[in-house]
Amino acid sequence: APQGFRDFAIDTRLEQYWSMFAPNPRDVADWAVMRAKTVDGQVLDVFGGVRRPYSEASPADGRVSYANSKWKKYYERLFLPGYASLRGYYAQWVCRQVNAGVSGGARVTQVTLKLFVEQPFVANPPARTVQELWTQRCR
């Protein structure tokens, strides 16, 4: 190819592999929540080790954000059947994170990892599926 075209291709990043969009863009939206119950009966979402109000609604902007690419890769594997053994370790870590410095009724007693899957971009989408992947008691 002429040098001018090669420079243009590199400047616009056309030399990259675009296989993540081939043959079609992803048509599945999935997100996770970690339902937690506290001693005083409050229900929270503690996915990522952060306390938030519990909701099973899809993310507002349709995207899930991660702290960095390493956490993104970890979460992607967390939901694969071949990596199911990671779920218990992750649940223990979440329990430690959300109970650190908390006492009494605010302590989390149990967490349940749930994965929600929708296909909003297809004609006549099927109903959302919910998979309970792991339940863990917190110490």
Side-chain angles (χ1 to χ4, degrees), residues 82-101:
Y83 291 90
S85 61
L86 296 177
R87 297 172 189 160
Y89 298 116
Y90 177 70
Q92 291 172 17
W93 176 81
V94 167
C95 287
R96 286 193 307 272
Q97 288 294 112
V98 298
N99 282 336

Side-chain angles (χ1 to χ4, degrees), residues 1-10 14-15:
Q3 183 63 41
F5 181 76
R6 283 186 289 187
D7 292 342
F8 173 76
I10 290 172
L14 292 174
E15 86 287 357

Side-chain angles (χ1 to χ4, degrees), residues 7-85:
D7 292 342
F8 173 76
I10 290 172
D11 290 345
T12 57
R13 303 295 297 169
L14 292 174
E15 86 287 357
Q16 305 182 82
Y17 290 104
W18 291 84
S19 58
M20 66 192 276
F21 301 109
N24 298 313
R26 190 166 184 225
D27 64 353
V28 174
D30 56 0
W31 69 96
V33 297
M34 186 161 259
R35 184 179 187 277
K37 191 166 186 182
T38 63
V39 172
D40 61 9
Q42 187 178 9
V43 178
L44 304 169
D45 176 12
V46 293
F47 190 74
V50 178
R51 291 172 176 251
R52 304 181 264 295
Y54 183 76
S55 173
E56 294 184 352
S58 60
D61 61 0
R63 295 183 304 158
V64 179
S65 59
Y66 304 97
N68 57 44
S69 61
K70 290 180 182 179
W71 275 111
K72 182 179 185 296
K73 181 58 99 178
Y74 184 81
Y75 289 132
E76 286 173 351
R77 290 187 174 158
L78 190 63
F79 307 122
L80 296 174
Y83 291 90
S85 61

